[in-house]
Amino acid sequence: MKKLIFLILIISIVFAHFDGQDRKYSNSRDVLQSTNLLESFSKKVKFTPEEPVVIVTDTILSSGFEVKLKYNSIENNFISNIIAAEDQSAQETLYKDFEAELKVLIHGELITEGLINKGLFKNYANTEFWKHAIMQHVWIDHEHSTEQYVQLNTSFRVLETETYKDFSILINSLGSIEIKEINLLSNTI
């Protein structure tokens, strides 16, 4: 019995000595590639924006409209953009999408509230556009707002391109919302 244990111990030492000898003179890239780990070690991930973004706007217009906007990044909603480098590594940028919580009051009385995000505009472009677009801005258009309605504008951009879609959101004194596509830039689709 002792001889059998001794023999197993010797065989184990011999096999342990030869384990990985074929990798001894291989570079790190070859070893990672042979174990299918190269991609996970060579990919760099960057978040844009890195920190949560919250922009709060509370504006009272001379017409009596009060517009409250809370524009913020959505922390668990990303659009990915991967760029391959010459050294076979990859840079992945995860762009956080945005949305805005809206409340409109007139003379202190709430007339409408809701969420401004891509879902509100899905009928104005194909699904491929919305897969790659990020909300860029939401702002009050003071110049086009009147006594009867307040106008907001918003812009969506396809990542890493100059392709935009711009919209106006008209809210009348009864709280009805009308959305119109506008052409602010020559690169809209």
Side-chain angles (χ1 to χ4, degrees):
M1 182 69 158
K2 288 183 181 184
K3 288 182 181 183
L4 181 60
I5 293 174
F6 182 71
L7 182 61
I8 292 173
L9 181 64
I10 295 295
I11 291 172
S12 299
I13 292 173
V14 169
F15 279 122
H17 176 70
F18 289 115
D19 185 37
Q21 288 296 316
D22 58 325
R23 294 184 186 179
K24 185 175 185 178
Y25 298 106
S26 299
N27 64 27
S28 300
R29 176 175 291 287
D30 294 337
V31 172
L32 289 172
Q33 199 163 18
S34 69
T35 57
N36 296 325
L37 293 173
L38 180 61
E39 184 179 327
S40 64
F41 278 94
S42 61
K43 187 192 295 185
K44 297 175 185 144
V45 178
K46 176 183 167 192
F47 291 91
T48 302
E50 292 177 4
E51 299 294 323
V53 171
V54 177
I55 301 171
V56 177
T57 304
D58 191 353
T59 303
I60 299 175
L61 303 172
S62 61
S63 61
F65 282 100
E66 182 178 353
V67 180
K68 296 176 182 261
L69 282 168
K70 182 181 175 189
Y71 177 77
N72 58 280
S73 58
I74 306 170
E75 295 306 306
N76 296 320
N77 189 349
F78 305 105
I79 296 176
S80 174
N81 186 34
I82 299 175
I83 300 171
E86 292 176 12
D87 64 354
Q88 296 181 346
S89 65
Q91 169 74 37
E92 181 177 22
T93 304
L94 296 173
Y95 292 89
K96 296 177 185 175
D97 207 350
F98 288 83
E99 64 185 9
E101 296 173 26
L102 168 70
K103 287 185 181 182
V104 178
L105 299 94
I106 191 159
H107 303 293
E109 185 178 323
L110 181 68
I111 59 171
T112 191
E113 64 182 322
L115 194 61
I116 300 172
N117 60 20
K118 292 191 289 192
L120 189 61
F121 303 93
K122 66 182 175 190
N123 295 332
Y124 293 92
N126 60 36
T127 56
E128 202 57 34
F129 174 83
W130 295 118
K131 276 189 212 176
H132 303 288
I134 297 273
M135 182 190 289
Q136 296 290 288
H137 312 283
V138 177
W139 68 96
I140 300 169
D141 188 341
H142 296 278
E143 183 180 335
H144 292 104
S145 294
T146 68
E147 297 290 323
Q148 289 77 35
Y149 64 86
V150 63
Q151 180 171 329
L152 307 176
N153 292 330
T154 185
S155 178
F156 295 89
R157 177 178 170 225
V158 174
L159 297 173
E160 305 297 328
T161 71
E162 293 299 318
T163 304
Y164 296 86
K165 278 203 170 285
D166 301 306
F167 299 93
S168 67
I169 303 167
L170 301 168
I171 304 165
N172 69 19
S173 58
L174 300 174
S176 295
I177 298 174
E178 180 183 350
I179 298 173
K180 293 181 180 178
E181 187 172 356
I182 54 176
N183 238 350
L184 294 176
L185 302 170
S186 60
N187 290 335
T188 58
I189 60 170

